[in-house]
Amino acid sequence: MRSDRVQNIRHEFLHMIRHRHGRLPHLVTVTAEPMPSRIAAIARGTGEVDAVYHIALDALQTAVREAGSSQQKDDLSECIRQGRLRPYEELASTLTTW
């Protein structure tokens, strides 16, 4: 994911929030991004994105644990701990209860 695309995601979601009619939808990003810093750039935000769902979160966690820098480990841990980064498998059940 190019870093400038993160801003596009936020901009589009802000536009949806401002122009919504009725209840606000669950605004999510689905990604396979391998860089925790780029995931954190989306997940941290200022509330535009409710959550980031990663299609291979277990594999990402393993890779970062085995070969990641301390910054990558911190970024990934923070996003998961705050519930901002979730496994893709949870998306369907989350949408049914949102």
Side-chain angles (χ1 to χ4, degrees), residues 4-69:
D4 62 329
R5 297 295 181 212
V6 171
Q7 296 306 317
N8 289 355
I9 292 168
R10 289 186 180 150
H11 175 75
E12 290 298 323
F13 283 1
L14 281 173
H15 186 74
M16 289 174 64
I17 291 168
R18 273 189 238 123
H19 295 92
R20 70 179 168 90
H21 298 286
R23 198 177 92 166
L24 187 62
H26 185 45
L27 300 174
V28 304
T29 301
V30 176
T31 188
E33 175 59 51
M35 299 296 295
S37 60
R38 291 186 181 156
I39 295 169
I42 301 168
R44 285 180 181 141
T46 55
E48 303 92 354
V49 178
D50 293 325
V52 176
Y53 291 87
H54 198 284
I55 64 168
L57 185 56
D58 290 338
L60 176 63
Q61 287 178 292
T62 300
V64 169
R65 183 174 49 251
E66 292 176 3
S69 69

Side-chain angles (χ1 to χ4, degrees), residues 66-84:
E66 292 176 3
S69 69
S70 61
Q71 183 63 51
Q72 290 172 330
K73 291 174 184 176
D74 290 346
D75 288 343
L76 188 62
S77 175
E78 173 192 332
C79 292
I80 293 171
R81 187 177 59 253
Q82 293 177 352
R84 308 281 301 178

